[in-house]
PDB file of all heavy atoms in Angstrom:
ATOM      1  N   LEU K 293    -342.692  89.957 171.425  1.00  0.00           N
ATOM      2  CA  LEU K 293    -343.688  89.762 170.361  1.00  0.00           C
ATOM      3  C   LEU K 293    -344.607  88.573 170.613  1.00  0.00           C
ATOM      4  O   LEU K 293    -345.617  88.407 169.920  1.00  0.00           O
ATOM      5  CB  LEU K 293    -342.994  89.597 169.011  1.00  0.00           C
ATOM      6  CG  LEU K 293    -342.146  90.773 168.528  1.00  0.00           C
ATOM      7  CD1 LEU K 293    -341.661  90.535 167.111  1.00  0.00           C
ATOM      8  CD2 LEU K 293    -342.913  92.086 168.610  1.00  0.00           C
ATOM      9  N   GLN K 399    -330.876  94.406 163.588  1.00  0.00           N
ATOM     10  CA  GLN K 399    -332.164  95.075 163.564  1.00  0.00           C
ATOM     11  C   GLN K 399    -332.893  94.833 164.880  1.00  0.00           C
ATOM     12  O   GLN K 399    -332.416  94.085 165.735  1.00  0.00           O
ATOM     13  CB  GLN K 399    -333.016  94.579 162.402  1.00  0.00           C
ATOM     14  CG  GLN K 399    -333.308  93.086 162.446  1.00  0.00           C
ATOM     15  CD  GLN K 399    -334.154  92.613 161.276  1.00  0.00           C
ATOM     16  OE1 GLN K 399    -334.937  93.352 160.734  1.00  0.00           O
ATOM     17  NE2 GLN K 399    -334.006  91.376 160.888  1.00  0.00           N
ATOM     18  N   PRO K 401    -337.287  94.795 166.308  1.00  0.00           N
ATOM     19  CA  PRO K 401    -338.654  94.816 165.757  1.00  0.00           C
ATOM     20  C   PRO K 401    -339.292  96.203 165.720  1.00  0.00           C
ATOM     21  O   PRO K 401    -340.310  96.383 165.065  1.00  0.00           O
ATOM     22  CB  PRO K 401    -339.442  93.899 166.698  1.00  0.00           C
ATOM     23  CG  PRO K 401    -338.502  93.373 167.695  1.00  0.00           C
ATOM     24  CD  PRO K 401    -337.158  93.949 167.499  1.00  0.00           C
ATOM     25  N   LEU K 404    -338.353 101.753 163.334  1.00  0.00           N
ATOM     26  CA  LEU K 404    -339.030 102.521 162.274  1.00  0.00           C
ATOM     27  C   LEU K 404    -338.095 103.525 161.595  1.00  0.00           C
ATOM     28  O   LEU K 404    -338.131 103.697 160.385  1.00  0.00           O
ATOM     29  CB  LEU K 404    -340.257 103.249 162.837  1.00  0.00           C
ATOM     30  CG  LEU K 404    -341.018 104.099 161.827  1.00  0.00           C
ATOM     31  CD1 LEU K 404    -341.550 103.249 160.680  1.00  0.00           C
ATOM     32  CD2 LEU K 404    -342.162 104.844 162.480  1.00  0.00           C
ATOM     33  N   SER K 422    -323.648  95.577 157.583  1.00  0.00           N
ATOM     34  CA  SER K 422    -324.876  95.035 158.172  1.00  0.00           C
ATOM     35  C   SER K 422    -325.059  93.573 157.790  1.00  0.00           C
ATOM     36  O   SER K 422    -324.420  93.087 156.854  1.00  0.00           O
ATOM     37  CB  SER K 422    -326.082  95.793 157.632  1.00  0.00           C
ATOM     38  OG  SER K 422    -326.045  97.108 158.076  1.00  0.00           O
ATOM     39  N   GLN K 438    -321.081  88.745 155.150  1.00  0.00           N
ATOM     40  CA  GLN K 438    -322.352  89.455 154.982  1.00  0.00           C
ATOM     41  C   GLN K 438    -323.322  88.560 154.221  1.00  0.00           C
ATOM     42  O   GLN K 438    -322.968  88.013 153.176  1.00  0.00           O
ATOM     43  CB  GLN K 438    -322.135  90.762 154.217  1.00  0.00           C
ATOM     44  CG  GLN K 438    -323.418  91.562 154.064  1.00  0.00           C
ATOM     45  CD  GLN K 438    -323.190  92.944 153.496  1.00  0.00           C
ATOM     46  OE1 GLN K 438    -322.512  93.101 152.483  1.00  0.00           O
ATOM     47  NE2 GLN K 438    -323.771  93.957 154.119  1.00  0.00           N
ATOM     48  N   MET K 445    -323.275  84.469 150.530  1.00  0.00           N
ATOM     49  CA  MET K 445    -322.604  85.365 151.462  1.00  0.00           C
ATOM     50  C   MET K 445    -321.376  85.970 150.793  1.00  0.00           C
ATOM     51  O   MET K 445    -320.786  85.360 149.902  1.00  0.00           O
ATOM     52  CB  MET K 445    -322.161  84.595 152.709  1.00  0.00           C
ATOM     53  CG  MET K 445    -323.312  84.173 153.575  1.00  0.00           C
ATOM     54  SD  MET K 445    -322.772  83.668 155.205  1.00  0.00           S
ATOM     55  CE  MET K 445    -322.296  81.991 154.877  1.00  0.00           C
ATOM     56  N   GLU K 447    -317.549  87.691 151.691  1.00  0.00           N
ATOM     57  CA  GLU K 447    -316.557  87.883 152.743  1.00  0.00           C
ATOM     58  C   GLU K 447    -315.883  89.231 152.511  1.00  0.00           C
ATOM     59  O   GLU K 447    -315.411  89.518 151.408  1.00  0.00           O
ATOM     60  CB  GLU K 447    -315.540  86.744 152.691  1.00  0.00           C
ATOM     61  CG  GLU K 447    -314.847  86.515 154.001  1.00  0.00           C
ATOM     62  CD  GLU K 447    -314.178  85.150 154.057  1.00  0.00           C
ATOM     63  OE1 GLU K 447    -313.383  84.841 153.142  1.00  0.00           O
ATOM     64  OE2 GLU K 447    -314.459  84.396 154.996  1.00  0.00           O
ATOM     65  N   ASP K 449    -313.239  92.389 154.250  1.00  0.00           N
ATOM     66  CA  ASP K 449    -312.299  92.817 155.285  1.00  0.00           C
ATOM     67  C   ASP K 449    -312.601  94.269 155.631  1.00  0.00           C
ATOM     68  O   ASP K 449    -312.800  95.099 154.735  1.00  0.00           O
ATOM     69  CB  ASP K 449    -310.857  92.706 154.772  1.00  0.00           C
ATOM     70  CG  ASP K 449    -310.345  91.286 154.850  1.00  0.00           C
ATOM     71  OD1 ASP K 449    -311.035  90.439 155.455  1.00  0.00           O
ATOM     72  OD2 ASP K 449    -309.260  91.020 154.300  1.00  0.00           O
ATOM     73  N   THR K 451    -311.325  97.548 158.055  1.00  0.00           N
ATOM     74  CA  THR K 451    -310.309  98.112 158.940  1.00  0.00           C
ATOM     75  C   THR K 451    -310.974  98.582 160.234  1.00  0.00           C
ATOM     76  O   THR K 451    -312.014  99.236 160.207  1.00  0.00           O
ATOM     77  CB  THR K 451    -309.633  99.314 158.244  1.00  0.00           C
ATOM     78  OG1 THR K 451    -309.113  98.867 156.989  1.00  0.00           O
ATOM     79  CG2 THR K 451    -308.489  99.872 159.072  1.00  0.00           C
ATOM     80  N   ARG K 498    -343.236 111.322 162.203  1.00  0.00           N
ATOM     81  CA  ARG K 498    -344.345 111.356 163.159  1.00  0.00           C
ATOM     82  C   ARG K 498    -345.276 110.194 162.829  1.00  0.00           C
ATOM     83  O   ARG K 498    -345.738 110.086 161.694  1.00  0.00           O
ATOM     84  CB  ARG K 498    -345.115 112.675 163.050  1.00  0.00           C
ATOM     85  CG  ARG K 498    -346.203 112.838 164.119  1.00  0.00           C
ATOM     86  CD  ARG K 498    -346.920 114.169 163.956  1.00  0.00           C
ATOM     87  NE  ARG K 498    -347.833 114.189 162.818  1.00  0.00           N
ATOM     88  CZ  ARG K 498    -349.085 113.702 162.831  1.00  0.00           C
ATOM     89  NH1 ARG K 498    -349.560 113.165 163.941  1.00  0.00           N
ATOM     90  NH2 ARG K 498    -349.849 113.769 161.759  1.00  0.00           N
ATOM     91  N   ARG K 500    -348.536 108.512 162.584  1.00  0.00           N
ATOM     92  CA  ARG K 500    -349.948 108.915 162.567  1.00  0.00           C
ATOM     93  C   ARG K 500    -350.829 107.813 163.107  1.00  0.00           C
ATOM     94  O   ARG K 500    -351.840 108.060 163.742  1.00  0.00           O
ATOM     95  CB  ARG K 500    -350.399 109.135 161.119  1.00  0.00           C
ATOM     96  CG  ARG K 500    -349.985 110.411 160.484  1.00  0.00           C
ATOM     97  CD  ARG K 500    -350.607 110.354 159.102  1.00  0.00           C
ATOM     98  NE  ARG K 500    -350.420 111.578 158.359  1.00  0.00           N
ATOM     99  CZ  ARG K 500    -350.917 111.746 157.148  1.00  0.00           C
ATOM    100  NH1 ARG K 500    -351.596 110.780 156.567  1.00  0.00           N
ATOM    101  NH2 ARG K 500    -350.719 112.864 156.508  1.00  0.00           N
ATOM    102  N   ARG K 501    -350.445 106.614 162.777  1.00  0.00           N
ATOM    103  CA  ARG K 501    -351.368 105.507 163.041  1.00  0.00           C
ATOM    104  C   ARG K 501    -350.586 104.203 163.118  1.00  0.00           C
ATOM    105  O   ARG K 501    -349.715 103.945 162.276  1.00  0.00           O
ATOM    106  CB  ARG K 501    -352.351 105.429 161.872  1.00  0.00           C
ATOM    107  CG  ARG K 501    -353.544 104.543 162.080  1.00  0.00           C
ATOM    108  CD  ARG K 501    -354.643 104.899 161.094  1.00  0.00           C
ATOM    109  NE  ARG K 501    -354.337 104.515 159.720  1.00  0.00           N
ATOM    110  CZ  ARG K 501    -354.859 103.442 159.105  1.00  0.00           C
ATOM    111  NH1 ARG K 501    -355.695 102.657 159.751  1.00  0.00           N
ATOM    112  NH2 ARG K 501    -354.553 103.170 157.856  1.00  0.00           N
ATOM    113  N   TYR K 503    -351.478 100.176 163.365  1.00  0.00           N
ATOM    114  CA  TYR K 503    -352.678  99.336 163.242  1.00  0.00           C
ATOM    115  C   TYR K 503    -352.321  97.942 162.757  1.00  0.00           C
ATOM    116  O   TYR K 503    -351.250  97.712 162.185  1.00  0.00           O
ATOM    117  CB  TYR K 503    -353.694  99.993 162.296  1.00  0.00           C
ATOM    118  CG  TYR K 503    -353.181 100.236 160.890  1.00  0.00           C
ATOM    119  CD1 TYR K 503    -353.557  99.406 159.831  1.00  0.00           C
ATOM    120  CD2 TYR K 503    -352.328 101.300 160.606  1.00  0.00           C
ATOM    121  CE1 TYR K 503    -353.095  99.628 158.550  1.00  0.00           C
ATOM    122  CE2 TYR K 503    -351.853 101.522 159.324  1.00  0.00           C
ATOM    123  CZ  TYR K 503    -352.246 100.683 158.302  1.00  0.00           C
ATOM    124  OH  TYR K 503    -351.763 100.909 157.034  1.00  0.00           O
ATOM    125  N   ALA K 511    -356.316  81.996 156.955  1.00  0.00           N
ATOM    126  CA  ALA K 511    -356.478  80.544 156.933  1.00  0.00           C
ATOM    127  C   ALA K 511    -357.859  80.162 157.443  1.00  0.00           C
ATOM    128  O   ALA K 511    -358.397  80.803 158.338  1.00  0.00           O
ATOM    129  CB  ALA K 511    -355.404  79.911 157.804  1.00  0.00           C
ATOM    130  N   GLU K 512    -358.406  79.119 156.855  1.00  0.00           N
ATOM    131  CA  GLU K 512    -359.623  78.536 157.425  1.00  0.00           C
ATOM    132  C   GLU K 512    -359.172  77.739 158.643  1.00  0.00           C
ATOM    133  O   GLU K 512    -358.347  76.828 158.536  1.00  0.00           O
ATOM    134  CB  GLU K 512    -360.291  77.629 156.391  1.00  0.00           C
ATOM    135  CG  GLU K 512    -361.598  77.082 156.876  1.00  0.00           C
ATOM    136  CD  GLU K 512    -362.304  76.258 155.801  1.00  0.00           C
ATOM    137  OE1 GLU K 512    -362.103  76.540 154.597  1.00  0.00           O
ATOM    138  OE2 GLU K 512    -363.038  75.338 156.179  1.00  0.00           O
ATOM    139  N   ILE K 514    -359.136  75.205 161.758  1.00  0.00           N
ATOM    140  CA  ILE K 514    -359.674  73.882 162.062  1.00  0.00           C
ATOM    141  C   ILE K 514    -359.831  73.763 163.575  1.00  0.00           C
ATOM    142  O   ILE K 514    -358.871  73.933 164.313  1.00  0.00           O
ATOM    143  CB  ILE K 514    -358.728  72.784 161.531  1.00  0.00           C
ATOM    144  CG1 ILE K 514    -358.588  72.923 160.005  1.00  0.00           C
ATOM    145  CG2 ILE K 514    -359.218  71.402 161.917  1.00  0.00           C
ATOM    146  CD1 ILE K 514    -357.483  72.084 159.408  1.00  0.00           C
TER     147      ILE K 514
ATOM    148  N   ASP S 308    -327.094  98.967 154.591  1.00  0.00           N
ATOM    149  CA  ASP S 308    -325.790  99.641 154.656  1.00  0.00           C
ATOM    150  C   ASP S 308    -325.876 101.033 154.060  1.00  0.00           C
ATOM    151  O   ASP S 308    -325.375 102.001 154.621  1.00  0.00           O
ATOM    152  CB  ASP S 308    -324.755  98.880 153.803  1.00  0.00           C
ATOM    153  CG  ASP S 308    -324.346  97.547 154.390  1.00  0.00           C
ATOM    154  OD1 ASP S 308    -324.391  97.395 155.612  1.00  0.00           O
ATOM    155  OD2 ASP S 308    -323.965  96.667 153.593  1.00  0.00           O
ATOM    156  N   SER S 323    -337.654 102.797 157.757  1.00  0.00           N
ATOM    157  CA  SER S 323    -337.334 101.387 157.507  1.00  0.00           C
ATOM    158  C   SER S 323    -338.573 100.545 157.257  1.00  0.00           C
ATOM    159  O   SER S 323    -339.674 100.942 157.608  1.00  0.00           O
ATOM    160  CB  SER S 323    -336.614 100.798 158.720  1.00  0.00           C
ATOM    161  OG  SER S 323    -335.402 101.432 158.918  1.00  0.00           O
ATOM    162  N   TYR S 324    -338.335  99.341 156.721  1.00  0.00           N
ATOM    163  CA  TYR S 324    -339.379  98.313 156.518  1.00  0.00           C
ATOM    164  C   TYR S 324    -340.601  98.875 155.771  1.00  0.00           C
ATOM    165  O   TYR S 324    -341.750  98.523 156.082  1.00  0.00           O
ATOM    166  CB  TYR S 324    -339.866  97.743 157.849  1.00  0.00           C
ATOM    167  CG  TYR S 324    -338.791  97.271 158.810  1.00  0.00           C
ATOM    168  CD1 TYR S 324    -338.788  97.673 160.137  1.00  0.00           C
ATOM    169  CD2 TYR S 324    -337.787  96.416 158.391  1.00  0.00           C
ATOM    170  CE1 TYR S 324    -337.813  97.244 161.026  1.00  0.00           C
ATOM    171  CE2 TYR S 324    -336.807  95.988 159.271  1.00  0.00           C
ATOM    172  CZ  TYR S 324    -336.836  96.395 160.590  1.00  0.00           C
ATOM    173  OH  TYR S 324    -335.882  95.980 161.471  1.00  0.00           O
ATOM    174  N   GLU S 331    -348.465 113.421 150.018  1.00  0.00           N
ATOM    175  CA  GLU S 331    -349.644 114.201 150.434  1.00  0.00           C
ATOM    176  C   GLU S 331    -349.217 115.647 150.448  1.00  0.00           C
ATOM    177  O   GLU S 331    -348.602 116.109 151.403  1.00  0.00           O
ATOM    178  CB  GLU S 331    -350.112 113.762 151.824  1.00  0.00           C
ATOM    179  CG  GLU S 331    -351.056 112.594 151.789  1.00  0.00           C
ATOM    180  CD  GLU S 331    -351.671 112.300 153.154  1.00  0.00           C
ATOM    181  OE1 GLU S 331    -351.663 113.181 154.028  1.00  0.00           O
ATOM    182  OE2 GLU S 331    -352.146 111.167 153.320  1.00  0.00           O
ATOM    183  N   TYR S 342    -342.771  95.349 164.388  1.00  0.00           N
ATOM    184  CA  TYR S 342    -343.035  94.266 165.341  1.00  0.00           C
ATOM    185  C   TYR S 342    -343.244  92.925 164.626  1.00  0.00           C
ATOM    186  O   TYR S 342    -344.242  92.239 164.817  1.00  0.00           O
ATOM    187  CB  TYR S 342    -344.231  94.629 166.232  1.00  0.00           C
ATOM    188  CG  TYR S 342    -344.005  95.932 166.957  1.00  0.00           C
ATOM    189  CD1 TYR S 342    -344.740  97.071 166.628  1.00  0.00           C
ATOM    190  CD2 TYR S 342    -343.020  96.038 167.930  1.00  0.00           C
ATOM    191  CE1 TYR S 342    -344.482  98.286 167.259  1.00  0.00           C
ATOM    192  CE2 TYR S 342    -342.766  97.245 168.563  1.00  0.00           C
ATOM    193  CZ  TYR S 342    -343.505  98.351 168.230  1.00  0.00           C
ATOM    194  OH  TYR S 342    -343.247  99.547 168.847  1.00  0.00           O
ATOM    195  N   LYS S 345    -346.507  92.193 162.819  1.00  0.00           N
ATOM    196  CA  LYS S 345    -347.776  92.156 163.546  1.00  0.00           C
ATOM    197  C   LYS S 345    -348.542  93.468 163.418  1.00  0.00           C
ATOM    198  O   LYS S 345    -349.761  93.486 163.531  1.00  0.00           O
ATOM    199  CB  LYS S 345    -347.527  91.864 165.034  1.00  0.00           C
ATOM    200  CG  LYS S 345    -347.242  90.402 165.327  1.00  0.00           C
ATOM    201  CD  LYS S 345    -347.248  90.158 166.812  1.00  0.00           C
ATOM    202  CE  LYS S 345    -347.521  88.699 167.113  1.00  0.00           C
ATOM    203  NZ  LYS S 345    -347.672  88.467 168.556  1.00  0.00           N
ATOM    204  N   LEU S 347    -348.720  97.576 161.416  1.00  0.00           N
ATOM    205  CA  LEU S 347    -348.247  98.514 160.389  1.00  0.00           C
ATOM    206  C   LEU S 347    -348.183  99.904 161.019  1.00  0.00           C
ATOM    207  O   LEU S 347    -349.040 100.258 161.840  1.00  0.00           O
ATOM    208  CB  LEU S 347    -349.202  98.537 159.190  1.00  0.00           C
ATOM    209  CG  LEU S 347    -349.272  97.260 158.357  1.00  0.00           C
ATOM    210  CD1 LEU S 347    -350.364  97.385 157.287  1.00  0.00           C
ATOM    211  CD2 LEU S 347    -347.938  96.954 157.684  1.00  0.00           C
ATOM    212  N   GLU S 349    -348.133 103.915 160.063  1.00  0.00           N
ATOM    213  CA  GLU S 349    -348.246 104.967 159.051  1.00  0.00           C
ATOM    214  C   GLU S 349    -347.548 106.198 159.614  1.00  0.00           C
ATOM    215  O   GLU S 349    -347.922 106.685 160.680  1.00  0.00           O
ATOM    216  CB  GLU S 349    -349.721 105.256 158.802  1.00  0.00           C
ATOM    217  CG  GLU S 349    -349.980 106.199 157.645  1.00  0.00           C
ATOM    218  CD  GLU S 349    -351.485 106.406 157.475  1.00  0.00           C
ATOM    219  OE1 GLU S 349    -352.150 105.502 156.937  1.00  0.00           O
ATOM    220  OE2 GLU S 349    -351.980 107.456 157.918  1.00  0.00           O
ATOM    221  N   GLU S 351    -345.478 110.095 158.924  1.00  0.00           N
ATOM    222  CA  GLU S 351    -345.474 111.290 158.086  1.00  0.00           C
ATOM    223  C   GLU S 351    -344.086 111.924 158.156  1.00  0.00           C
ATOM    224  O   GLU S 351    -343.527 112.100 159.237  1.00  0.00           O
ATOM    225  CB  GLU S 351    -346.510 112.244 158.667  1.00  0.00           C
ATOM    226  CG  GLU S 351    -346.716 113.525 157.935  1.00  0.00           C
ATOM    227  CD  GLU S 351    -347.735 114.375 158.715  1.00  0.00           C
ATOM    228  OE1 GLU S 351    -348.895 113.947 158.842  1.00  0.00           O
ATOM    229  OE2 GLU S 351    -347.335 115.435 159.205  1.00  0.00           O
ATOM    230  N   ARG S 389    -311.701 101.731 153.603  1.00  0.00           N
ATOM    231  CA  ARG S 389    -311.485 100.948 154.815  1.00  0.00           C
ATOM    232  C   ARG S 389    -312.065  99.540 154.704  1.00  0.00           C
ATOM    233  O   ARG S 389    -312.107  98.801 155.675  1.00  0.00           O
ATOM    234  CB  ARG S 389    -312.113 101.675 156.018  1.00  0.00           C
ATOM    235  CG  ARG S 389    -311.450 103.033 156.305  1.00  0.00           C
ATOM    236  CD  ARG S 389    -312.203 103.820 157.354  1.00  0.00           C
ATOM    237  NE  ARG S 389    -313.521 104.209 156.868  1.00  0.00           N
ATOM    238  CZ  ARG S 389    -314.333 105.063 157.513  1.00  0.00           C
ATOM    239  NH1 ARG S 389    -313.954 105.592 158.670  1.00  0.00           N
ATOM    240  NH2 ARG S 389    -315.516 105.363 157.013  1.00  0.00           N
ATOM    241  N   ALA S 391    -312.473  95.910 152.032  1.00  0.00           N
ATOM    242  CA  ALA S 391    -312.073  95.186 150.823  1.00  0.00           C
ATOM    243  C   ALA S 391    -312.961  93.962 150.659  1.00  0.00           C
ATOM    244  O   ALA S 391    -313.276  93.279 151.641  1.00  0.00           O
ATOM    245  CB  ALA S 391    -310.616  94.770 150.940  1.00  0.00           C
ATOM    246  N   ARG S 393    -313.520  90.251 149.595  1.00  0.00           N
ATOM    247  CA  ARG S 393    -312.634  89.082 149.504  1.00  0.00           C
ATOM    248  C   ARG S 393    -313.185  88.034 148.540  1.00  0.00           C
ATOM    249  O   ARG S 393    -312.422  87.346 147.866  1.00  0.00           O
ATOM    250  CB  ARG S 393    -312.492  88.426 150.881  1.00  0.00           C
ATOM    251  CG  ARG S 393    -312.003  89.330 151.960  1.00  0.00           C
ATOM    252  CD  ARG S 393    -310.533  89.624 151.864  1.00  0.00           C
ATOM    253  NE  ARG S 393    -309.734  88.430 151.673  1.00  0.00           N
ATOM    254  CZ  ARG S 393    -308.424  88.446 151.519  1.00  0.00           C
ATOM    255  NH1 ARG S 393    -307.767  89.583 151.518  1.00  0.00           N
ATOM    256  NH2 ARG S 393    -307.753  87.327 151.353  1.00  0.00           N
ATOM    257  N   GLY S 394    -314.485  87.877 148.514  1.00  0.00           N
ATOM    258  CA  GLY S 394    -315.050  86.873 147.618  1.00  0.00           C
ATOM    259  C   GLY S 394    -316.439  86.462 148.053  1.00  0.00           C
ATOM    260  O   GLY S 394    -316.894  86.825 149.134  1.00  0.00           O
ATOM    261  N   ILE S 396    -319.250  83.505 148.951  1.00  0.00           N
ATOM    262  CA  ILE S 396    -319.344  82.147 149.479  1.00  0.00           C
ATOM    263  C   ILE S 396    -320.724  81.630 149.086  1.00  0.00           C
ATOM    264  O   ILE S 396    -321.739  82.235 149.424  1.00  0.00           O
ATOM    265  CB  ILE S 396    -319.190  82.140 151.013  1.00  0.00           C
ATOM    266  CG1 ILE S 396    -317.841  82.752 151.390  1.00  0.00           C
ATOM    267  CG2 ILE S 396    -319.336  80.737 151.569  1.00  0.00           C
ATOM    268  CD1 ILE S 396    -317.721  83.105 152.848  1.00  0.00           C
ATOM    269  N   PHE S 501    -350.895  82.642 159.742  1.00  0.00           N
ATOM    270  CA  PHE S 501    -352.282  82.282 159.410  1.00  0.00           C
ATOM    271  C   PHE S 501    -352.862  83.169 158.295  1.00  0.00           C
ATOM    272  O   PHE S 501    -353.869  82.832 157.702  1.00  0.00           O
ATOM    273  CB  PHE S 501    -353.172  82.366 160.652  1.00  0.00           C
ATOM    274  CG  PHE S 501    -352.896  81.285 161.673  1.00  0.00           C
ATOM    275  CD1 PHE S 501    -352.685  81.590 163.003  1.00  0.00           C
ATOM    276  CD2 PHE S 501    -352.845  79.949 161.286  1.00  0.00           C
ATOM    277  CE1 PHE S 501    -352.432  80.599 163.939  1.00  0.00           C
ATOM    278  CE2 PHE S 501    -352.592  78.936 162.213  1.00  0.00           C
ATOM    279  CZ  PHE S 501    -352.380  79.261 163.542  1.00  0.00           C
ATOM    280  N   ASP S 505    -353.539  78.353 154.002  1.00  0.00           N
ATOM    281  CA  ASP S 505    -354.875  77.971 153.538  1.00  0.00           C
ATOM    282  C   ASP S 505    -355.693  77.421 154.714  1.00  0.00           C
ATOM    283  O   ASP S 505    -356.862  77.731 154.851  1.00  0.00           O
ATOM    284  CB  ASP S 505    -354.753  76.902 152.447  1.00  0.00           C
ATOM    285  CG  ASP S 505    -354.042  77.435 151.226  1.00  0.00           C
ATOM    286  OD1 ASP S 505    -354.690  78.149 150.449  1.00  0.00           O
ATOM    287  OD2 ASP S 505    -352.831  77.192 151.066  1.00  0.00           O
ATOM    288  N   GLY S 507    -355.458  76.520 159.056  1.00  0.00           N
ATOM    289  CA  GLY S 507    -354.696  76.760 160.276  1.00  0.00           C
ATOM    290  C   GLY S 507    -355.232  75.987 161.443  1.00  0.00           C
ATOM    291  O   GLY S 507    -356.436  75.710 161.538  1.00  0.00           O
TER     292      GLY S 507
END
Side-chain angles (χ1 to χ4, degrees):
Chain K
L293 299 187
Q399 60 180 331
L404 179 61
S422 294
Q438 182 171 49
M445 290 195 277
E447 204 163 54
D449 280 351
T451 304
R498 186 180 74 82
R500 282 182 175 182
R501 192 161 71 103
Y503 59 103
E512 184 176 331
I514 300 169
Chain S
D308 289 332
S323 296
Y324 310 130
E331 274 188 19
Y342 303 110
K345 282 190 157 186
L347 293 174
E349 188 179 283
E351 182 183 296
R389 296 172 294 189
R393 304 285 312 178
I396 301 166
F501 290 129
D505 296 282

